[in-house]
Amino acid sequence: MLQTSHSIECAISDDFRSGGLLQLTIIFIFDSSVLICRNYKGDVDMAEIDHFFPLLMQHEEDGLLCPVLSRGNVHFMWIKHSNLYLVSTTNKNSNASLVYSFLYKLVEVFTEYFKELEEESIQDNFVVVYELLDELMDFGFPQTTDSKILQEYITQEGAKLEVGKSKVPTTVTNAVSWRSEGIKYKKNEVFIDVIESINVLVNANGSVMSSDIVGSIKLKTMLSGMPELRLGLNDRVLFALTGRDKGKTVVMEDVKFHQCVRLSRFDIDRTISFIPPDGESELMSYRINTHVKPLIWIESVIEKFSHSRVEIMVKGGKEFLMRAHFGLPSVENNELEGKPPITVKFEIPYFTVSGIQVRYMKIIEKSGYQALPWVRYITQSGDYQLRSNV
């Protein structure tokens, strides 16, 4: 069965409804000393953080550094960003992967607000940071984690709207928390980018050692109101369910959806149905595990004329040839020299290696307006390496 997952907003929301495996007691942000903290539940002593750095140093010295440190029944889950440590403490059997997702989400939100997340930006924006911490989580459970929505009512100046004029956006309490109401465009359009990155490793004999395709479908939505979108792909499982096995189809693995996609509908009939976020977003990502024939082939010849002169010849098929001479310092090296692989960077428009296709994009809105979908395909290099035999 195909594994699917939402982005963090939906994942932590689902976890909350199912009983709350993601329970954080305290969030700390500090470098050498605590800059800011938020105690959500009060069941872990604030002084416990004093043991974090000694534990960290001890594990580092012993070569046993790990992302979870424990002291008694208190667990420290931490990440490092620039010169800052973001640490959560809990004494519950929390879901560690979701805790880390939340910590990285914190970094993303703070970076959206402050451009750079560092000690100075925290010190200069204490009010905003505390307001964000209060909105991002309540009593240890994540709440609103979309920075676009947060910016609607938490201003950069660190003060909320005045009492009496304040109005919490409906997106906070609405089921469609990723899209505001009342959006209007003179021209309704949606742009769809299907982007595939090719990962290939070719050995010195020309054999493909490993290869796969990592793809994503990105949207730029400029649609009025609250439209319902339905995306159709040449999905092999869908064609098998409907009895249509004709034509080119693809088998997608490790599919991850934006929280806007109705997973229950997808699990039943493979329909990708959603109310899109406004503006740019990544609708889904996927991986295709298949043998990929190298699109670009590189041959290289390295000749050493002396200890100070090297000639390198690189041939790209029959189209391009590069010959380069390098004068090097007169330094002898008796050690065996490494042979790093050749890394290739490229981008090919209007083409996908897997053959994935957008069969249709239906746009339904209660006002009945006509909207234009535009589709663009791009293939680009991912980790694309060819080893040299010289």
Side-chain angles (χ1 to χ4, degrees):
M1 187 65 181
L2 182 68
Q3 296 293 318
T4 59
S5 66
H6 279 64
S7 61
I8 178 175
E9 288 88 350
C10 190
I12 57 184
S13 177
D14 287 345
D15 184 65
F16 172 67
R17 289 193 297 266
S18 62
L21 295 177
L22 177 48
Q23 298 184 39
L24 305 184
T25 296
I26 312 175
I27 293 287
F28 293 93
I29 302 176
F30 62 99
D31 50 5
S32 56
S33 60
V34 176
L35 295 174
I36 202 164
C37 67
R38 184 67 175 89
N39 193 338
Y40 290 106
K41 302 190 68 166
D43 55 354
V44 174
D45 191 339
M46 295 279 285
E48 286 289 341
I49 195 62
D50 295 337
H51 302 287
F52 171 73
F53 253 122
L55 278 174
L56 187 71
M57 296 299 104
Q58 179 185 341
H59 281 72
E60 193 170 28
E61 290 175 1
D62 296 340
L64 301 174
L65 193 60
C66 64
V68 180
L69 303 176
S70 299
R71 179 181 179 274
N73 67 338
V74 176
H75 309 290
F76 304 95
M77 285 171 274
W78 63 278
I79 63 172
K80 186 177 182 181
H81 179 81
S82 298
N83 62 331
L84 297 180
Y85 290 89
L86 285 80
V87 184
S88 71
T89 64
T90 182
N91 56 9
K92 301 290 191 300
N93 185 21
S94 300
N95 185 324
S97 64
L98 293 182
V99 172
Y100 287 109
S101 293
F102 184 80
L103 292 177
Y104 282 110
K105 191 65 180 180
L106 275 182
V107 173
E108 180 183 325
V109 170
F110 289 153
T111 303
E112 285 284 334
Y113 268 82
F114 314 132
K115 305 304 179 186
E116 296 290 339
L117 177 56
E118 53 190 20
E119 179 181 354
E120 185 177 350
S121 62
I122 294 293
Q123 291 176 337
D124 292 344
N125 296 278
F126 274 125
V127 176
V128 177
V129 171
Y130 272 115
E131 289 185 351
L132 288 173
L133 289 175
D134 285 341
E135 294 298 332
L136 286 160
M137 182 170 287
D138 181 32
F139 198 64
F141 299 101
Q143 303 296 312
T144 305
T145 58
D146 190 312
S147 60
K148 290 183 180 179
I149 303 304
L150 289 166
Q151 287 173 1
E152 291 186 21
Y153 64 106
I154 297 181
T155 65
Q156 186 68 21
E157 290 75 22
K160 292 185 179 180
L161 299 177
E162 295 178 8
V163 177
K165 293 184 179 180
S166 63
K167 181 181 178 183
V168 178
T170 55
T171 48
V172 176
T173 55
N174 192 358
V176 186
S177 61
W178 54 88
R179 185 180 180 89
S180 301
E181 294 183 350
I183 297 173
K184 293 182 180 180
Y185 286 97
K186 291 183 179 180
K187 187 177 182 181
N188 292 286
E189 298 176 299
V190 56
F191 298 88
I192 308 167
D193 282 347
V194 182
I195 303 172
E196 290 191 340
S197 299
I198 305 176
N199 300 320
V200 173
L201 177 61
V202 181
N203 66 16
N205 298 323
S207 300
V208 177
M209 300 178 64
S210 64
S211 65
D212 67 353
I213 300 168
V214 177
S216 66
I217 297 181
K218 298 183 178 181
L219 302 179
K220 183 177 182 181
T221 307
M222 303 169 67
L223 299 173
S224 304
M226 298 290 272
E228 172 85 17
L229 274 60
R230 294 176 188 170
L231 176 68
L233 305 173
N234 56 335
D235 178 7
R236 185 172 301 176
V237 178
L238 171 63
F239 278 38
L241 287 173
T242 57
R244 294 178 295 170
D245 289 327
K246 296 180 181 180
K248 174 70 175 179
T249 58
V250 295
V251 178
M252 298 179 292
E253 302 178 30
D254 298 335
V255 179
K256 296 181 177 65
F257 286 114
H258 187 276
Q259 67 178 115
C260 65
V261 176
R262 295 184 176 91
L263 286 186
S264 57
R265 178 77 181 272
F266 182 80
D267 290 338
I268 294 172
D269 59 10
R270 307 289 290 190
T271 298
I272 303 175
S273 175
F274 58 98
I275 296 175
D278 186 47
E280 297 182 358
S281 63
E282 182 176 274
L283 178 66
M284 62 179 290
S285 63
Y286 60 89
R287 183 177 63 85
I288 297 178
N289 189 12
T290 183
H291 178 79
V292 179
K293 183 179 179 181
L295 299 178
I296 296 178
W297 193 263
I298 302 293
E299 297 178 14
S300 65
V301 177
I302 302 175
E303 294 186 64
K304 297 183 180 180
F305 292 93
S306 66
H307 65 273
S308 62
R309 190 164 69 91
V310 174
E311 179 180 290
I312 300 176
M313 184 179 69
V314 178
K315 183 178 180 184
K318 299 180 181 179
E319 299 293 330
F320 303 99
L321 177 65
M322 182 191 79
R323 188 185 297 270
H325 293 267
F326 295 92
L328 305 176
S330 299
V331 178
E332 294 286 354
N333 187 359
N334 295 324
E335 297 181 3
L336 182 64
E337 297 183 2
K339 300 175 182 177
I342 297 172
T343 301
V344 184
K345 299 292 184 183
F346 61 86
E347 184 174 291
I348 306 173
Y350 317 116
F351 171 74
T352 59
V353 177
S354 68
I356 192 171
Q357 294 178 352
V358 175
R359 295 173 48 244
Y360 63 83
M361 169 66 86
K362 295 181 180 179
I363 303 170
I364 305 168
E365 214 278 331
K366 61 182 180 181
S367 65
Y369 62 70
Q370 296 296 313
L372 298 174
W374 305 90
V375 184
R376 180 174 62 169
Y377 299 96
I378 298 174
T379 292
Q380 62 187 19
S381 56
D383 186 11
Y384 195 105
Q385 296 186 353
L386 298 96
R387 292 180 177 173
S388 173
N389 57 1
V390 182

